[in-house]
Amino acid sequence: MKKRRYETQKHITGLAMFMLFILGIVVLRYGWLQLIQGNELSERMKNQVGHDYAIQSPRGAIIDRNGRELAVSTMTKSLYVDPNHVEDPQTLAADLAPLIEKTEQDVLDDIAVGGGFVWVKRRMEQSEYEAVRALIKEKGYSTCLGFRDEAKRYYPNDVLAANVLGFVGTDDKGLDGVEQALDSLLKGEIKEKYLTTDRRDRPILDSIFSSSRHYRGDYCKTVELTIDSGIQFIVEQELDRAVAENRPKSITCVVMNPKTGEVLAMASRPSYNPNKFWDYKPEVWKNRAVSFIYEPGSTFKSVVAGAALQEQVVTPNQVFVDPGYVMVSGRRIQNWSGTSFGTVTFTDVVKQSLNTGFAQVGLRLGADKITDYAKKFGFGEATGIDLPAEESGILFDPEQMRDSDIATMSIGQSIAVTPLQLVTAMSAIANDGVLLKPYIVKSIRNADGSVYEERSPQEVRRTIESATDKTLIGLLEQVVASGGGAKAGVKGYRIAGKTGTAQKIREDGAGYMEGRYIASFCGFAPVEDPQLTVLVMIDDPSQGNYYGGQIAAPVASRIFSQLFRYMRIAPSSDPFAGMEPPKTPQPKPIKGYEGVVPEGMIVMPDFTGKSLREAARIASDKGLSFESEGSGFASGQSIPPNTLVDQGRSIVVYFKPE
């Protein structure tokens, strides 16, 4: 009995040990599979029963202040190839290439890359996608060809505001303009999803995933600009007309609301179509309103006049004697006409943009004051607008300025500004002397429509006192009413502003280019309630005149006129209506040359008032090389009269109708 019990216990123990042994093997095997080979087996299983699925959300839209679309994205299909599963590359290339507008060699090169994934064509048109999908189904290419969703950017207005908007490159990356500046907010979002499929790579329970395939994203925002596409269209239309009339190297215009700092329009020519940006040279992509610096010429005199009035170094009725030119530190500074206007008031100095008067005023202000006011009006530093590649401009260090530097800065030379800085400074004058930060982004909204960020006017500083500003506005209004900016006027409206004509600096910075100019006009209206500030800058006009008052002011006039109608701005009560126009001082001949004329040199004759035939004859008699611009009677010349020059020197005489 005991022996049987012992045998039974022995068998039970052996069975238990065997079971424990088997259990140990199972545990060890389980541990091996889970701990050692777990990741590998899990990845193999995932590859066998499904694949990762990238869900792409479209890039956020860019709209104007009225909700009109300027840049939008749609979801498109991109084609890829799995070279590891291509059985007959030559046949595949022959079938596929004609459908996607590629050569067979292009497709073969993609296959030759090898691996499991190579892009063949990204962001296909719908017709291309349909054709390739039919091919895959017909020829059974599903093992080696496939599609992925990607966002494609469209600019529905083509060229409109192109230099502001910029464009988007590969992988949904903004490469210029607002697209680049706000790329992190606009950029579409990609989420990876795992999709379970059957042995034929067909999704299982596809309806579960159908909604997520149209994922809108949590981070792509809609950006609303301050731009008004209606105003933008008017401006660009007028720039195209100005290009045809003057054949310039480029032309730029900025329209701003002076009471808020909002940029209502910003345009340049030449421009490009961002839908096909690759067809244009990179220099055409440049937004010259923020990334081009130049000497502003006489438009900067509005700032100098404001500084002089504020510092009480001059009054509107103060009398100046204009000799036609002044010598400062050995540098000759002359009037644009090369003639003397005699005894004039400071009001006349501003109206006629007399360099001699402004040089005297600048010297009274001194280097520190004139530089300080330039900085107060925003020059010498970037505005901080939401656009890439903004330049800061150039200002002299006042400690290193000579008297000649002060004098030339007073007439808009020896200083470099951007168009945006200049229109912002003029807007400060229109805004009772208060400088506002310019901005071009009005609001940013989340994908669900909620507000992410909203911009509002931001005061920077007061530039001059209110009383001084009103006096300055009165002077600038007379520039347009009866001075050098008369061609910027619009009948029935009060407009204030300043013209400018600046000689272009050589690219190496060594002096100025002969016969190369930048013509500009910057002004605001209506004077009694400013709602628009307009800057027109024409770079290097090659046809017709080059003075700002002759070619830039008329462009500004046409823009003002159309914008008054577009914005329904009522006509002003013209304070000059019914009044006898103030007498404009007439230029007087500069005192004749009284010294001995060296051999081989001549005294430059005065061509003023001469006809083209008479001027040509006089130049021939003197042995001068004669060139003319315009028609009618001589109104100015490139070299002042009574100046000693070499025989054979080239002289340009400017003519205009009486």
Side-chain angles (χ1 to χ4, degrees), residues 613-633:
R613 185 187 299 273
E614 290 174 321
R617 179 183 55 78
I618 294 172
S620 177
D621 292 343
K622 292 287 187 178
L624 295 168
S625 176
F626 178 77
E627 295 180 31
S628 65
E629 289 191 12
S631 61
F633 295 88

Side-chain angles (χ1 to χ4, degrees), residues 239-251 538-545 551:
L239 293 195
D240 289 334
R241 177 177 172 180
V243 168
E245 291 176 347
N246 302 290
R247 303 291 180 189
K249 178 180 178 181
S250 67
I251 181 169
I538 303 177
D539 180 8
D540 203 6
S542 61
Q543 185 171 301
N545 212 316
I551 61 174

Side-chain angles (χ1 to χ4, degrees), residues 41-242:
L41 293 174
S42 176
E43 192 65 30
R44 188 188 304 174
M45 183 273 295
K46 286 182 65 178
N47 292 335
Q48 289 174 346
V49 301
H51 60 83
D52 289 325
Y53 187 86
I55 303 173
Q56 166 81 53
S57 68
R59 188 178 181 87
I62 301 177
I63 60 177
D64 82 340
R65 65 187 301 113
N66 300 312
R68 301 186 184 102
E69 292 180 334
L70 300 175
V72 293
S73 288
T74 59
M75 298 309 298
T76 60
K77 297 291 185 180
S78 291
L79 177 66
Y80 69 87
V81 64
D82 180 355
N84 291 337
H85 290 79
V86 176
E87 297 179 359
D88 186 350
Q90 200 68 47
T91 302
L92 176 62
D95 291 340
L96 183 60
L99 304 180
I100 59 175
E101 297 183 353
K102 281 195 170 187
T103 65
E104 292 183 25
Q105 189 58 50
D106 290 336
V107 178
L108 289 172
D109 290 342
D110 291 334
I111 297 172
V113 172
F117 183 95
V118 178
W119 287 118
V120 178
K121 186 165 186 180
R122 306 183 73 171
R123 301 179 179 87
M124 304 168 66
E125 297 297 333
Q126 184 66 22
S127 59
E128 294 176 327
Y129 164 66
E130 296 290 348
V132 175
R133 187 176 68 168
L135 175 68
I136 293 173
K137 184 177 181 180
E138 178 186 349
K139 297 293 185 73
Y141 287 142
S142 59
T143 57
C144 59
L145 292 178
F147 301 100
R148 280 200 174 184
D149 289 333
E150 284 197 295
K152 185 172 183 178
R153 200 63 157 171
Y154 289 97
Y155 301 90
N157 303 298
D158 293 332
V159 180
L160 190 76
N163 299 96
V164 173
L165 299 173
F167 52 87
V168 175
T170 308
D171 298 322
D172 199 34
K173 183 175 179 62
L175 298 180
D176 208 346
V178 174
E179 297 277 27
Q180 178 181 342
L182 301 180
D183 185 61
S184 61
L185 297 174
L186 288 165
K187 191 175 180 64
E189 185 184 2
I190 299 177
K191 277 194 174 183
E192 295 289 339
K193 290 284 187 180
Y194 180 73
L195 190 65
T196 304
T197 60
D198 63 13
R199 61 185 297 176
R200 294 188 179 182
D201 206 33
R202 293 177 302 193
I204 299 173
L205 301 176
D206 187 49
S207 60
I208 297 176
F209 297 95
S210 61
S211 61
S212 63
R213 288 188 177 187
H214 300 286
Y215 177 63
R216 282 293 304 165
D218 296 325
Y219 301 105
C220 52
K221 317 290 185 186
T222 295
V223 173
E224 179 189 3
L225 302 182
T226 60
I227 295 289
D228 185 315
S229 57
I231 295 177
Q232 184 77 23
F233 177 78
I234 290 170
V235 166
E236 295 196 17
Q237 195 175 43
E238 287 302 329
L239 293 195
D240 289 334
R241 177 177 172 180

Side-chain angles (χ1 to χ4, degrees), residues 380-559:
E381 62 179 0
T383 66
I385 197 170
D386 287 308
L387 291 170
E390 184 185 8
E391 293 281 357
S392 299
I394 301 174
L395 282 179
F396 257 118
D397 180 351
E399 294 184 359
Q400 299 179 3
M401 292 177 70
R402 299 172 300 174
D403 285 349
S404 59
D405 298 324
I406 299 172
T408 54
M409 184 174 175
S410 302
I411 63 173
Q413 297 177 359
S414 302
I415 178 178
V417 307
T418 67
L420 180 63
Q421 286 176 333
L422 188 58
V423 76
T424 302
M426 186 63 77
S427 292
I429 296 173
N431 190 40
D432 197 40
V434 177
L435 181 71
L436 300 177
K437 180 179 179 180
Y439 64 105
I440 201 166
V441 175
K442 188 174 180 65
S443 67
I444 302 172
R445 297 185 179 275
N446 296 312
D448 61 5
S450 60
V451 177
Y452 173 78
E453 183 180 352
E454 196 151 12
R455 308 285 175 86
S456 58
Q458 183 177 338
E459 181 177 327
V460 179
R461 69 181 72 88
R462 173 167 285 281
T463 57
I464 54 179
E465 294 177 1
S466 178
T468 304
D469 189 71
K470 287 179 173 59
T471 302
L472 177 59
I473 290 175
L475 297 180
L476 296 178
E477 184 178 2
Q478 291 199 41
V479 171
V480 178
S482 57
K487 290 190 176 182
V490 177
K491 188 176 181 180
Y493 291 87
R494 297 173 59 191
I495 299 174
K498 190 73 188 72
T499 60
T501 307
Q503 198 167 4
K504 292 188 67 173
I505 302 176
R506 296 183 185 275
E507 292 183 2
D508 59 5
Y512 294 91
M513 300 184 195
E514 186 69 30
R516 308 281 292 277
Y517 298 89
I518 293 178
S520 57
F521 173 85
C522 190
F524 54 89
V527 167
E528 67 275 14
D529 182 24
Q531 298 182 48
L532 295 167
T533 305
V534 175
L535 166 69
V536 175
M537 185 201 73
I538 303 177
D539 180 8
D540 203 6
S542 61
Q543 185 171 301
N545 212 316
Y546 60 80
Y547 289 114
Q550 299 298 315
I551 61 174
V555 178
S557 173
R558 294 194 295 264
I559 291 173

